[in-house]
Amino acid sequence: MSVQPPDSASRLISPLSFFQTLQAQRRRRKQLKYFLSENHNGEIKACRVRLISLFIFYLNHCVNYFLLGIVDSSFHLRASVIVLFWFVFAAVHWFITSVRQRYRPVTPYISTTLDIVMLSAVLLVGGKDLSQTFVLYYPLIALGGVRYNIIP
């Protein structure tokens, strides 16, 4: 039994399969472009929610410090510095994603990590086990659902 060399015609790609492959690649590129634009829009929404949440959080903190006197001055000063850095990060991030229209797929992971670090810093500055700012972890987790984050 001898082995026959493959037929040269069978190794050639037929024009029909070549065009089908090109069409499949174009469809895939369109899908990726669509999903990236959806992720970008989700990140813009997350930036808006982050800015509004920080404003409400700091407003609540100021009411607790100035009007109710619940918070001492050292905690107020340290928390204010952390929230100021956090707000600057959120504003710059919003500017880059919304105004400059820059987006990379790793962006949501970086922003969520920095949110967790900043919130943890506020909790550490509190130094009390009775701190109610741990409740902010739940909206932070829910903020992840605002993004679309499906890339096939």
Side-chain angles (χ1 to χ4, degrees), residues 93-139:
H93 183 62
W94 173 83
F95 179 77
I96 290 170
T97 56
S98 295
V99 179
R100 300 291 295 246
Q101 295 294 319
R102 303 284 171 110
Y103 178 77
R104 299 281 181 239
V106 74
T107 304
Y109 303 110
I110 293 171
S111 64
T112 302
T113 302
L114 285 174
D115 285 341
I116 290 171
V117 166
M118 292 295 195
L119 183 57
S120 298
V122 170
L123 283 172
L124 287 173
V125 165
K128 297 178 184 173
D129 295 335
L130 303 174
S131 178
Q132 294 297 314
T133 49
F134 75 90
V135 176
L136 290 176
Y137 278 115
Y138 301 115

Short mmCIF file of all heavy atoms in Angstrom, two decimals, residues 93-139:
data_model
loop_
_atom_site.label_atom_id
_atom_site.label_comp_id
_atom_site.label_asym_id
_atom_site.label_seq_id
_atom_site.Cartn_x
_atom_site.Cartn_y
_atom_site.Cartn_z
N HIS A 93 -10.54 61.05 35.17
CA HIS A 93 -10.99 59.84 34.49
C HIS A 93 -12.22 60.14 33.62
O HIS A 93 -12.32 59.68 32.48
CB HIS A 93 -11.31 58.77 35.51
CG HIS A 93 -11.71 57.46 34.93
ND1 HIS A 93 -10.89 56.72 34.12
CD2 HIS A 93 -12.87 56.77 35.01
CE1 HIS A 93 -11.51 55.63 33.74
NE2 HIS A 93 -12.72 55.64 34.28
N TRP A 94 -13.15 60.94 34.15
CA TRP A 94 -14.32 61.33 33.37
C TRP A 94 -13.90 62.16 32.16
O TRP A 94 -14.41 61.97 31.06
CB TRP A 94 -15.31 62.12 34.23
CG TRP A 94 -16.43 62.68 33.42
CD1 TRP A 94 -17.56 62.03 33.03
CD2 TRP A 94 -16.51 63.99 32.87
NE1 TRP A 94 -18.34 62.86 32.27
CE2 TRP A 94 -17.73 64.07 32.15
CE3 TRP A 94 -15.68 65.11 32.91
CZ2 TRP A 94 -18.12 65.22 31.49
CZ3 TRP A 94 -16.08 66.25 32.25
CH2 TRP A 94 -17.28 66.30 31.55
N PHE A 95 -12.96 63.08 32.34
CA PHE A 95 -12.50 63.92 31.24
C PHE A 95 -11.87 63.08 30.14
O PHE A 95 -12.13 63.28 28.96
CB PHE A 95 -11.49 64.97 31.76
CG PHE A 95 -10.96 65.86 30.70
CD1 PHE A 95 -11.72 66.90 30.20
CD2 PHE A 95 -9.70 65.65 30.16
CE1 PHE A 95 -11.23 67.73 29.20
CE2 PHE A 95 -9.19 66.46 29.16
CZ PHE A 95 -9.97 67.52 28.68
N ILE A 96 -11.05 62.11 30.53
CA ILE A 96 -10.38 61.27 29.53
C ILE A 96 -11.38 60.41 28.77
O ILE A 96 -11.31 60.28 27.55
CB ILE A 96 -9.29 60.41 30.19
CG1 ILE A 96 -8.13 61.29 30.64
CG2 ILE A 96 -8.79 59.33 29.26
CD1 ILE A 96 -7.11 60.58 31.50
N THR A 97 -12.34 59.81 29.49
CA THR A 97 -13.27 58.91 28.81
C THR A 97 -14.37 59.65 28.07
O THR A 97 -14.79 59.21 27.00
CB THR A 97 -13.91 57.92 29.81
OG1 THR A 97 -14.54 58.64 30.85
CG2 THR A 97 -12.89 56.97 30.34
N SER A 98 -14.86 60.77 28.61
CA SER A 98 -15.98 61.47 27.99
C SER A 98 -15.55 62.50 26.96
O SER A 98 -16.00 62.48 25.83
CB SER A 98 -16.83 62.17 29.05
OG SER A 98 -17.43 61.24 29.88
N VAL A 99 -14.71 63.40 27.38
CA VAL A 99 -14.35 64.53 26.52
C VAL A 99 -13.31 64.11 25.48
O VAL A 99 -13.46 64.39 24.29
CB VAL A 99 -13.85 65.71 27.37
CG1 VAL A 99 -13.44 66.86 26.50
CG2 VAL A 99 -14.93 66.14 28.36
N ARG A 100 -12.27 63.44 25.93
CA ARG A 100 -11.20 63.04 25.00
C ARG A 100 -11.52 61.76 24.24
O ARG A 100 -10.81 61.40 23.32
CB ARG A 100 -9.89 62.85 25.77
CG ARG A 100 -9.39 64.08 26.50
CD ARG A 100 -8.93 65.16 25.55
NE ARG A 100 -7.80 64.73 24.79
CZ ARG A 100 -6.60 65.23 24.86
NH1 ARG A 100 -6.36 66.20 25.67
NH2 ARG A 100 -5.64 64.77 24.10
N GLN A 101 -12.56 61.04 24.66
CA GLN A 101 -13.00 59.81 24.00
C GLN A 101 -11.89 58.75 23.95
O GLN A 101 -11.72 58.05 22.96
CB GLN A 101 -13.53 60.09 22.59
CG GLN A 101 -14.77 60.92 22.55
CD GLN A 101 -15.97 60.22 23.16
OE1 GLN A 101 -16.15 59.04 22.94
NE2 GLN A 101 -16.75 60.94 23.92
N ARG A 102 -11.14 58.63 25.03
CA ARG A 102 -10.09 57.61 25.12
C ARG A 102 -10.62 56.47 25.99
O ARG A 102 -11.16 56.71 27.06
CB ARG A 102 -8.82 58.17 25.77
CG ARG A 102 -8.24 59.37 25.06
CD ARG A 102 -7.53 58.93 23.79
NE ARG A 102 -7.15 60.07 23.00
CZ ARG A 102 -5.91 60.45 22.83
NH1 ARG A 102 -4.93 59.80 23.39
NH2 ARG A 102 -5.66 61.49 22.07
N TYR A 103 -10.44 55.26 25.52
CA TYR A 103 -10.90 54.11 26.28
C TYR A 103 -10.05 52.90 25.93
O TYR A 103 -9.78 52.64 24.76
CB TYR A 103 -12.37 53.81 25.98
CG TYR A 103 -12.88 52.60 26.71
CD1 TYR A 103 -13.20 52.66 28.05
CD2 TYR A 103 -13.01 51.38 26.06
CE1 TYR A 103 -13.64 51.55 28.72
CE2 TYR A 103 -13.46 50.26 26.73
CZ TYR A 103 -13.77 50.35 28.07
OH TYR A 103 -14.21 49.25 28.72
N ARG A 104 -9.63 52.19 26.94
CA ARG A 104 -8.93 50.92 26.78
C ARG A 104 -9.71 49.86 27.57
O ARG A 104 -10.33 50.18 28.58
CB ARG A 104 -7.50 51.00 27.34
CG ARG A 104 -6.64 52.03 26.65
CD ARG A 104 -6.13 51.49 25.31
NE ARG A 104 -5.29 52.46 24.66
CZ ARG A 104 -5.54 52.95 23.47
NH1 ARG A 104 -6.58 52.56 22.81
NH2 ARG A 104 -4.73 53.83 22.93
N PRO A 105 -9.68 48.61 27.13
CA PRO A 105 -10.44 47.57 27.84
C PRO A 105 -10.03 47.37 29.30
O PRO A 105 -10.80 46.87 30.10
CB PRO A 105 -10.16 46.32 27.03
CG PRO A 105 -9.85 46.81 25.66
CD PRO A 105 -9.15 48.12 25.86
N VAL A 106 -8.84 47.79 29.68
CA VAL A 106 -8.37 47.62 31.05
C VAL A 106 -8.86 48.76 31.96
O VAL A 106 -8.76 48.67 33.19
CB VAL A 106 -6.83 47.50 31.07
CG1 VAL A 106 -6.16 48.83 30.81
CG2 VAL A 106 -6.34 46.88 32.34
N THR A 107 -9.42 49.80 31.40
CA THR A 107 -9.84 50.97 32.16
C THR A 107 -10.80 50.68 33.31
O THR A 107 -10.59 51.18 34.42
CB THR A 107 -10.46 52.02 31.20
OG1 THR A 107 -9.51 52.32 30.18
CG2 THR A 107 -10.83 53.28 31.92
N PRO A 108 -11.85 49.88 33.11
CA PRO A 108 -12.76 49.61 34.24
C PRO A 108 -12.07 48.93 35.42
O PRO A 108 -12.40 49.20 36.58
CB PRO A 108 -13.83 48.70 33.66
CG PRO A 108 -13.77 48.88 32.20
CD PRO A 108 -12.37 49.26 31.88
N TYR A 109 -11.11 48.07 35.14
CA TYR A 109 -10.43 47.37 36.22
C TYR A 109 -9.54 48.32 37.03
O TYR A 109 -9.47 48.23 38.25
CB TYR A 109 -9.60 46.21 35.66
CG TYR A 109 -10.44 45.25 34.85
CD1 TYR A 109 -10.30 45.17 33.48
CD2 TYR A 109 -11.38 44.44 35.47
CE1 TYR A 109 -11.08 44.30 32.73
CE2 TYR A 109 -12.17 43.57 34.74
CZ TYR A 109 -12.01 43.51 33.37
OH TYR A 109 -12.79 42.66 32.64
N ILE A 110 -8.89 49.23 36.34
CA ILE A 110 -8.04 50.21 37.03
C ILE A 110 -8.90 51.14 37.88
O ILE A 110 -8.59 51.41 39.04
CB ILE A 110 -7.20 51.00 36.00
CG1 ILE A 110 -6.19 50.07 35.34
CG2 ILE A 110 -6.50 52.18 36.67
CD1 ILE A 110 -5.45 50.69 34.18
N SER A 111 -10.00 51.64 37.31
CA SER A 111 -10.84 52.57 38.05
C SER A 111 -11.50 51.90 39.26
O SER A 111 -11.58 52.50 40.33
CB SER A 111 -11.89 53.20 37.14
OG SER A 111 -12.77 52.23 36.66
N THR A 112 -11.94 50.67 39.11
CA THR A 112 -12.55 49.96 40.24
C THR A 112 -11.52 49.69 41.33
O THR A 112 -11.81 49.83 42.52
CB THR A 112 -13.19 48.64 39.77
OG1 THR A 112 -14.16 48.94 38.76
CG2 THR A 112 -13.86 47.93 40.91
N THR A 113 -10.31 49.33 40.93
CA THR A 113 -9.25 49.09 41.92
C THR A 113 -8.93 50.37 42.69
O THR A 113 -8.81 50.34 43.92
CB THR A 113 -7.98 48.57 41.21
OG1 THR A 113 -8.31 47.37 40.52
CG2 THR A 113 -6.87 48.31 42.21
N LEU A 114 -8.85 51.49 42.00
CA LEU A 114 -8.57 52.75 42.69
C LEU A 114 -9.74 53.16 43.59
O LEU A 114 -9.52 53.73 44.66
CB LEU A 114 -8.24 53.85 41.68
CG LEU A 114 -6.84 53.73 41.08
CD1 LEU A 114 -6.64 54.76 39.98
CD2 LEU A 114 -5.78 53.88 42.14
N ASP A 115 -10.97 52.87 43.17
CA ASP A 115 -12.12 53.14 44.04
C ASP A 115 -12.02 52.34 45.34
O ASP A 115 -12.26 52.87 46.42
CB ASP A 115 -13.43 52.79 43.32
CG ASP A 115 -13.81 53.82 42.28
OD1 ASP A 115 -13.30 54.95 42.33
OD2 ASP A 115 -14.63 53.48 41.41
N ILE A 116 -11.68 51.07 45.21
CA ILE A 116 -11.57 50.22 46.40
C ILE A 116 -10.44 50.69 47.31
O ILE A 116 -10.58 50.73 48.54
CB ILE A 116 -11.38 48.75 45.98
CG1 ILE A 116 -12.68 48.22 45.36
CG2 ILE A 116 -10.97 47.89 47.17
CD1 ILE A 116 -12.55 46.87 44.71
N VAL A 117 -9.33 51.10 46.71
CA VAL A 117 -8.20 51.59 47.51
C VAL A 117 -8.57 52.88 48.24
O VAL A 117 -8.29 53.03 49.44
CB VAL A 117 -6.96 51.80 46.60
CG1 VAL A 117 -5.89 52.62 47.31
CG2 VAL A 117 -6.40 50.47 46.15
N MET A 118 -9.23 53.79 47.55
CA MET A 118 -9.61 55.06 48.20
C MET A 118 -10.64 54.84 49.31
O MET A 118 -10.55 55.44 50.38
CB MET A 118 -10.16 56.04 47.16
CG MET A 118 -9.13 56.52 46.19
SD MET A 118 -7.88 57.49 47.02
CE MET A 118 -7.10 58.25 45.65
N LEU A 119 -11.64 53.99 49.05
CA LEU A 119 -12.63 53.72 50.07
C LEU A 119 -12.00 53.02 51.27
O LEU A 119 -12.33 53.33 52.43
CB LEU A 119 -13.77 52.87 49.49
CG LEU A 119 -14.92 52.56 50.43
CD1 LEU A 119 -15.53 53.84 50.97
CD2 LEU A 119 -15.95 51.73 49.73
N SER A 120 -11.09 52.10 51.02
CA SER A 120 -10.39 51.44 52.12
C SER A 120 -9.54 52.44 52.91
O SER A 120 -9.44 52.33 54.14
CB SER A 120 -9.50 50.32 51.59
OG SER A 120 -10.29 49.35 50.94
N ALA A 121 -8.95 53.41 52.23
CA ALA A 121 -8.17 54.45 52.92
C ALA A 121 -9.07 55.28 53.83
O ALA A 121 -8.70 55.60 54.97
CB ALA A 121 -7.47 55.34 51.90
N VAL A 122 -10.27 55.61 53.37
CA VAL A 122 -11.20 56.36 54.22
C VAL A 122 -11.59 55.52 55.43
O VAL A 122 -11.68 56.03 56.56
CB VAL A 122 -12.45 56.80 53.42
CG1 VAL A 122 -13.52 57.35 54.33
CG2 VAL A 122 -12.08 57.83 52.38
N LEU A 123 -11.81 54.23 55.22
CA LEU A 123 -12.15 53.35 56.35
C LEU A 123 -10.99 53.24 57.34
O LEU A 123 -11.20 53.22 58.56
CB LEU A 123 -12.53 51.97 55.84
CG LEU A 123 -13.92 51.85 55.25
CD1 LEU A 123 -14.11 50.49 54.60
CD2 LEU A 123 -14.97 52.06 56.31
N LEU A 124 -9.76 53.15 56.83
CA LEU A 124 -8.60 53.05 57.71
C LEU A 124 -8.38 54.33 58.50
O LEU A 124 -7.96 54.29 59.66
CB LEU A 124 -7.34 52.72 56.91
CG LEU A 124 -7.26 51.28 56.39
CD1 LEU A 124 -6.05 51.12 55.48
CD2 LEU A 124 -7.20 50.30 57.54
N VAL A 125 -8.66 55.46 57.89
CA VAL A 125 -8.51 56.74 58.57
C VAL A 125 -9.53 56.85 59.70
O VAL A 125 -9.25 57.41 60.75
CB VAL A 125 -8.66 57.91 57.56
CG1 VAL A 125 -8.88 59.22 58.25
CG2 VAL A 125 -7.44 57.99 56.69
N GLY A 126 -10.72 56.27 59.49
CA GLY A 126 -11.75 56.30 60.53
C GLY A 126 -11.28 55.64 61.81
O GLY A 126 -11.50 56.14 62.90
N GLY A 127 -10.62 54.51 61.67
CA GLY A 127 -10.01 53.85 62.80
C GLY A 127 -10.97 53.24 63.81
O GLY A 127 -10.56 52.69 64.80
N LYS A 128 -12.26 53.34 63.57
CA LYS A 128 -13.23 52.79 64.52
C LYS A 128 -13.94 51.62 63.86
O LYS A 128 -14.19 51.61 62.68
CB LYS A 128 -14.25 53.85 64.90
CG LYS A 128 -13.66 55.03 65.63
CD LYS A 128 -14.71 56.04 65.93
CE LYS A 128 -14.10 57.26 66.59
NZ LYS A 128 -15.06 58.33 66.76
N ASP A 129 -14.29 50.67 64.66
CA ASP A 129 -15.06 49.54 64.13
C ASP A 129 -16.50 49.94 63.86
O ASP A 129 -17.22 49.23 63.17
CB ASP A 129 -15.04 48.38 65.13
CG ASP A 129 -13.64 47.81 65.30
OD1 ASP A 129 -12.84 47.98 64.36
OD2 ASP A 129 -13.37 47.22 66.35
N LEU A 130 -16.93 51.04 64.40
CA LEU A 130 -18.32 51.46 64.24
C LEU A 130 -18.53 52.36 63.02
O LEU A 130 -19.60 52.92 62.85
CB LEU A 130 -18.76 52.22 65.50
CG LEU A 130 -18.63 51.44 66.81
CD1 LEU A 130 -18.96 52.32 68.00
CD2 LEU A 130 -19.52 50.22 66.78
N SER A 131 -17.51 52.49 62.19
CA SER A 131 -17.61 53.36 61.02
C SER A 131 -18.69 52.86 60.07
O SER A 131 -18.77 51.68 59.76
CB SER A 131 -16.27 53.43 60.30
OG SER A 131 -16.40 54.23 59.16
N GLN A 132 -19.52 53.77 59.61
CA GLN A 132 -20.61 53.40 58.71
C GLN A 132 -20.24 53.52 57.24
O GLN A 132 -21.06 53.27 56.38
CB GLN A 132 -21.84 54.28 59.00
CG GLN A 132 -22.43 54.03 60.36
CD GLN A 132 -22.94 52.61 60.51
OE1 GLN A 132 -23.61 52.11 59.63
NE2 GLN A 132 -22.60 51.97 61.61
N THR A 133 -19.00 53.89 56.95
CA THR A 133 -18.61 54.03 55.55
C THR A 133 -18.39 52.70 54.85
O THR A 133 -18.29 52.67 53.63
CB THR A 133 -17.33 54.89 55.41
OG1 THR A 133 -16.36 54.39 56.32
CG2 THR A 133 -17.60 56.33 55.69
N PHE A 134 -18.37 51.59 55.60
CA PHE A 134 -18.25 50.29 54.95
C PHE A 134 -19.45 50.01 54.04
O PHE A 134 -19.39 49.21 53.12
CB PHE A 134 -18.08 49.16 55.96
CG PHE A 134 -19.33 48.79 56.69
CD1 PHE A 134 -20.17 47.80 56.17
CD2 PHE A 134 -19.68 49.42 57.86
CE1 PHE A 134 -21.33 47.46 56.83
CE2 PHE A 134 -20.84 49.08 58.52
CZ PHE A 134 -21.68 48.11 58.00
N VAL A 135 -20.56 50.70 54.31
CA VAL A 135 -21.78 50.52 53.50
C VAL A 135 -21.51 50.96 52.05
O VAL A 135 -22.19 50.50 51.13
CB VAL A 135 -22.94 51.33 54.13
CG1 VAL A 135 -24.19 51.27 53.29
CG2 VAL A 135 -23.21 50.84 55.53
N LEU A 136 -20.52 51.79 51.84
CA LEU A 136 -20.21 52.26 50.48
C LEU A 136 -19.64 51.16 49.60
O LEU A 136 -19.59 51.32 48.38
CB LEU A 136 -19.24 53.43 50.53
CG LEU A 136 -19.83 54.72 51.08
CD1 LEU A 136 -18.76 55.78 51.17
CD2 LEU A 136 -20.96 55.20 50.21
N TYR A 137 -19.20 50.06 50.18
CA TYR A 137 -18.72 48.96 49.35
C TYR A 137 -19.84 48.38 48.48
O TYR A 137 -19.60 47.93 47.38
CB TYR A 137 -18.11 47.84 50.21
CG TYR A 137 -16.69 48.11 50.63
CD1 TYR A 137 -16.37 48.30 51.96
CD2 TYR A 137 -15.67 48.19 49.69
CE1 TYR A 137 -15.07 48.55 52.35
CE2 TYR A 137 -14.38 48.44 50.07
CZ TYR A 137 -14.07 48.61 51.40
OH TYR A 137 -12.79 48.87 51.78
N TYR A 138 -21.05 48.40 48.98
CA TYR A 138 -22.17 47.84 48.22
C TYR A 138 -22.48 48.64 46.95
O TYR A 138 -22.62 48.05 45.88
CB TYR A 138 -23.40 47.68 49.11
CG TYR A 138 -23.12 46.77 50.28
CD1 TYR A 138 -23.15 47.26 51.58
CD2 TYR A 138 -22.78 45.44 50.08
CE1 TYR A 138 -22.89 46.43 52.65
CE2 TYR A 138 -22.50 44.61 51.15
CZ TYR A 138 -22.56 45.11 52.44
OH TYR A 138 -22.28 44.29 53.50
N PRO A 139 -22.58 49.97 47.02
CA PRO A 139 -22.75 50.71 45.75
C PRO A 139 -21.54 50.57 44.82
O PRO A 139 -21.68 50.59 43.61
CB PRO A 139 -22.92 52.17 46.18
CG PRO A 139 -23.35 52.11 47.58
CD PRO A 139 -22.76 50.86 48.16
#
